[in-house]
Amino acid sequence: MSRYVIVGNGTAAVGCIEGIRRVNTDAEITVVSEENHSVYSRPLISYYLEGKTDLERMKYRGDDFYEKNGCRVIYGVRATALDPSAKTVTLENGETLSYDALCSATGSRPFVPPFEGLDTVKQTFSFMTLDDVLALESALTDTARVLIVGAGLIGLKCAEGIRDRVGSITVCDLADRVLSSILDTDCAALVQSHLEENGIRFMLQDSAARFDGNTAYMKSGQTVEFDILVLAVGVRANIELVKDAGGETGRGILINNRMETSLPHVFAAGDCTEGYDASAGMRRVLAILPNAYMQGHTAGVNMAGGDAVFDNAIPMNSIGFFGLHTMTAGSGDGEMTEERSEGIVKRFFTKDGLLKGFMLIGQTDRAGIYTSLIREKIPLDTIDLELTKQAASNLIFSQDTRKKKFGGVV
Amino acid sequence: MKRVYVNEEWCLGCHLCEYNCAFANSGMKDMALALKDKKIFPRIHVEGDDRITFAVSCRHCTDPLCVKSCIAGAISVLDGVVCIDQTKCVGCLTCVLVCPYGALAPGESGVMQKCELCMGNACGAPACVTGCPNNAIVYEERNDAT
Ligand SMILES: Cc1cc2nc3c(=O)[nH]c(=O)nc-3n(C[C@H](O)[C@H](O)[C@H](O)COP(=O)(O)OP(=O)(O)OC[C@H]3O[C@@H](n4cnc5c(N)ncnc54)[C@H](O)[C@@H]3O)c2cc1C
Ligand code: SF4
Ligand code: SF4
């Protein structure tokens, strides 16, 4: 009987389990889970603080998931060393597991720059895991002054999650705008002012130079007094297991479109990988949940001897703050056209006769139609994109195409 | 399995399917009480211009992107029907961002809702199809493996 080992127990691992079972129903699957929890929806940790979900509803899969899929899960233990020639992996508890195929679904961890005086701060938190959030929650008081370092998705989601449970929130970032990895200056300004209207204070192009107890001395010379510090500067892919075993890595574990690493019988999926961004035509870490699932599923099918390819990954984010929804997909590369009206901005980026990316703020109905144009590389001369810029519609497609989409099994 | 298919050349653009959907999922017995003077949030919607109209609802894809992308694990496949657990949904709209057919829209509260082929309500078969006056949407088996 084949033996498969999955290191990590997040979304990529779930995709991998479901992918393996698509092909092989009786192989042995062992999951090594550093976190002492069954799989939960990581992006929901901010919604938990907001009271929009709870620990029960945060479960990404039902309680019978592992049992139903015949998985053994080893909780609270890290995998420490991989030996690709012996096809074994060693765990920190001394146990050694042999495998026929292994998947690194190890995700990422918070990156903490070496701030001077950080050790003098009493209440410092990251915002990545369920344990982080439970710890942060126990520190929240309705008068607490919170300083969040990092105005990316994680820092801002944290701000939204705790807004009604603390006294004040200041977010600083070295970048000149919020969500700098996905939004351009104009779009970021809109989102920022909406966040400001909702009580979040920003210090952009500025960050802490050093800390002393409850005081942050900023690069600009200003000081910020705080009670709680949240570090959301960035993340680093957990590549070490594969790297130390001689596998090729960059900012993530390098994989091909079958999710194979450079090591035989070793696959990788999710936030720990550097895959291929089909919209930008380059390698990139795509740290988003849909990508983790799809990569995991592809890896699983291939581990079990199937033949799956995932070659249309693109960055895509749908994120809302205090009721304002923003969606982005693909790359901001190429010629830009814009539709603007009160509270709404839609920007489209086209190049070489293809839609390459978009940013939508305030009006996001049926945006998946746009996303499909990017992912499926639909030539723009076969559709009527102009028609759809104000409101996404299937009217852009030819009648024949619509017949396939709505008159057949898809 | 049976799905809802569109015959766009038959569509009158009358939007009856939207009303029948909203009523079927309202859980109420009286259509006027359920819908009159209210903004409705149907799980099927009519698109088009002054020449062409057609009704769009979930395709119940064989490889559904919404299921793979939902950040809450709230969407799953039950006997081929793509279903949502609304208690888990947090309204992030990631599923709207990925559904290639534009078939999803949130309900009044911001929580996602979707066509479940009237399996979860009292109708037992899609109310949109039953009420369509011109067979512009049909509920039937067409070629597929599942
Ligand atoms: C606050 C927040 C909000 C987010 N919001 C969104 C969103 O709205 N939309 C979106 O698409 N994405 C969002 N993301 C990103 C999304 O959560 C990730 O892309 C996704 O969880 C990646 O899944 P994964 O399985 O690759 O990694 P993870 O979920 O990180 O799982 C990896 C697991 O592996 C474990 N592990 C690592 N090394 C080892 C080892 N050596 N041995 C054993 N176990 C190990 C880790 O402890 C971890 O539990 C958000 C993330 C955060 C933190
Ligand atoms: S919601 Fe969209 S992606 Fe999901 S099954 Fe329906 S048509 Fe397919
Ligand atoms: S809106 Fe709800 S169903 Fe859709 S992806 Fe977000 S959590 Fe899932």
Side-chain angles (χ1 to χ4, degrees):
Chain A
M1 190 163 51
S2 301
R3 282 165 305 181
Y4 303 120
V5 172
I6 301 169
V7 182
N9 187 22
T11 294
V14 169
C16 188
I17 293 167
E18 292 176 352
I20 292 172
R21 288 298 178 228
R22 177 75 60 99
V23 179
N24 182 326
T25 48
D26 57 25
E28 229 174 71
I29 301 178
T30 307
V31 179
V32 185
S33 176
E34 177 184 13
E35 286 185 75
N36 210 351
H37 300 286
S38 59
V39 62
Y40 60 92
S41 304
R42 185 172 307 293
L44 263 49
I45 59 177
S46 67
Y47 297 88
Y48 167 80
L49 291 176
E50 228 182 323
K52 284 193 175 167
T53 187
D54 54 38
L55 297 180
E56 188 59 33
R57 289 180 287 159
M58 281 173 81
K59 291 177 177 168
Y60 185 62
R61 288 292 184 266
D63 288 330
D64 59 351
F65 173 73
Y66 299 106
E67 200 194 319
K68 222 174 57 196
N69 284 288
C71 300
R72 172 183 171 218
V73 189
I74 306 175
Y75 284 109
V77 173
R78 284 174 57 81
T80 47
L82 181 63
D83 182 343
S85 50
K87 294 211 264 180
T88 59
V89 59
T90 306
L91 314 187
E92 67 182 341
N93 65 4
E95 195 177 340
T96 297
L97 305 172
S98 330
Y99 61 79
D100 293 296
L102 175 138
C103 184
S104 170
T106 46
S108 55
R109 61 176 177 274
F111 165 66
V112 181
F115 288 113
E116 191 189 326
L118 188 57
D119 55 340
T120 66
V121 179
K122 283 207 193 71
Q123 304 206 80
T124 310
F125 301 91
S126 301
F127 200 67
M128 278 288 285
T129 65
L130 194 52
D131 291 341
D132 287 342
V133 160
L134 296 176
L136 173 60
E137 183 178 39
S138 67
L140 299 178
T141 64
D142 52 14
T143 55
R145 298 160 300 174
V146 182
L147 174 62
I148 299 177
V149 184
L153 186 142
I154 293 177
L156 294 185
K157 268 294 174 192
C158 176
E160 182 187 47
I162 63 178
R163 202 259 327 244
D164 290 338
R165 304 181 64 171
V166 298
S168 68
I169 302 173
T170 303
V171 181
C172 67
D173 199 306
L174 273 180
D176 64 352
R177 59 187 193 275
V178 302
L179 299 173
S180 60
S181 64
I182 57 172
L183 291 183
D184 60 21
T185 310
D186 294 350
C187 291
L190 259 166
V191 174
Q192 183 184 337
S193 64
H194 181 75
L195 284 158
E196 284 168 344
E197 281 160 26
N198 282 281
I200 315 290
R201 185 170 82 108
F202 286 96
M203 298 175 81
L204 296 176
Q205 289 178 287
D206 200 3
S207 191
R210 67 185 176 88
F211 295 100
D212 186 6
N214 287 347
T215 310
Y217 294 89
M218 308 299 286
K219 297 212 156 107
S220 62
Q222 288 175 274
T223 57
V224 179
E225 299 292 324
F226 63 88
D227 305 302
I228 294 173
L229 178 67
V230 177
L231 295 175
V233 182
V235 299
R236 290 284 178 273
N238 290 323
I239 61 177
E240 290 71 18
L241 198 63
V242 170
K243 188 179 182 190
D244 295 346
E248 282 177 29
T249 56
R251 303 184 71 172
I253 299 166
L254 301 192
I255 48 169
N256 62 17
N257 61 22
R258 294 172 44 86
M259 310 305 123
E260 292 161 333
T261 69
S262 63
L263 301 174
H265 312 290
V266 177
F267 295 72
D271 284 12
C272 64
T273 68
E274 195 177 318
Y276 189 75
D277 170 355
S279 65
M282 59 190 260
R283 285 190 167 282
R284 191 179 278 180
V285 176
L286 292 172
I288 49 173
L289 184 139
N291 192 55
Y293 186 91
M294 293 185 226
Q295 289 189 332
H297 196 268
T298 307
V301 168
N302 291 329
M303 285 163 75
D307 187 14
V309 163
F310 176 41
D311 60 1
N312 59 357
I314 60 168
M316 48 185 182
N317 278 284
S318 173
I319 80 174
F321 295 108
F322 305 111
L324 178 70
H325 283 283
T326 298
M327 289 187 186
T328 62
S331 66
D333 179 23
E335 194 186 327
M336 195 264 283
T337 53
E338 183 186 75
E339 303 286 326
R340 221 180 234 270
S341 49
E342 184 60 33
I344 294 173
V345 181
K346 304 177 91 173
R347 289 189 162 180
F348 298 89
F349 300 87
T350 56
K351 193 176 162 186
D352 306 328
L354 299 172
L355 182 65
K356 287 290 180 181
F358 60 78
M359 294 174 195
L360 312 174
I361 298 179
Q363 210 238 60
T364 55
D365 297 351
R366 298 186 287 279
I369 295 175
Y370 302 134
T371 310
S372 74
L373 300 178
I374 307 174
R375 293 185 83 229
E376 295 165 30
K377 297 200 169 82
I378 307 292
L380 294 181
D381 57 9
T382 63
I383 61 162
D384 192 350
L385 185 64
E386 282 311 310
L387 201 65
T388 197
K389 279 183 183 163
Q390 285 180 10
S393 165
N394 289 291
L395 208 53
I396 57 170
F397 301 110
S398 70
Q399 198 161 19
D400 268 359
T401 306
R402 266 203 307 278
K403 211 163 217 135
K404 287 193 196 106
K405 288 179 189 276
F406 300 104
V409 176
V410 290
Chain B
M1 69 177 256
K2 284 167 111 180
R3 290 181 173 83
V4 175
Y5 296 103
V6 179
N7 297 322
E8 71 174 45
E9 55 279 27
W10 296 89
C11 179
L12 307 167
C14 68
H15 296 259
L16 253 183
C17 49
E18 296 176 353
Y19 286 90
N20 283 316
C21 174
F23 178 49
N25 292 302
S26 69
M28 292 171 76
K29 291 209 164 66
D30 182 309
M31 189 157 189
L33 272 181
L35 308 180
K36 194 161 183 287
D37 299 327
K38 289 189 186 143
K39 181 169 163 42
I40 61 165
F41 293 86
R43 300 154 192 212
I44 186 167
H45 68 273
V46 177
E47 288 181 28
D49 55 16
D50 42 15
R51 293 168 304 124
I52 307 165
T53 55
F54 49 91
V56 173
S57 58
C58 174
R59 310 315 305 139
H60 296 279
C61 302
T62 50
D63 187 20
L65 281 172
C66 57
V67 174
K68 294 181 168 181
S69 302
C70 172
I71 67 163
I75 312 180
S76 60
V77 187
L78 286 174
D79 297 328
V81 183
V82 178
C83 297
I84 182 163
D85 177 349
Q86 292 189 306
T87 66
K88 288 176 102 180
C89 171
V90 293
C92 72
L93 307 186
T94 301
C95 50
V96 173
L97 175 64
V98 301
C99 171
Y101 306 97
L104 288 170
E108 192 165 10
S109 64
V111 169
M112 195 51 53
Q113 53 175 24
K114 68 178 298 304
C115 165
E116 294 176 344
L117 299 173
C118 286
M119 294 304 166
N121 61 36
C123 301
C128 54
V129 169
T130 313
C132 177
N134 215 30
N135 285 328
I137 35 177
V138 295
Y139 181 52
E140 61 191 33
E141 197 97 35
R142 290 192 181 172
N143 302 339
D144 74 309
T146 52

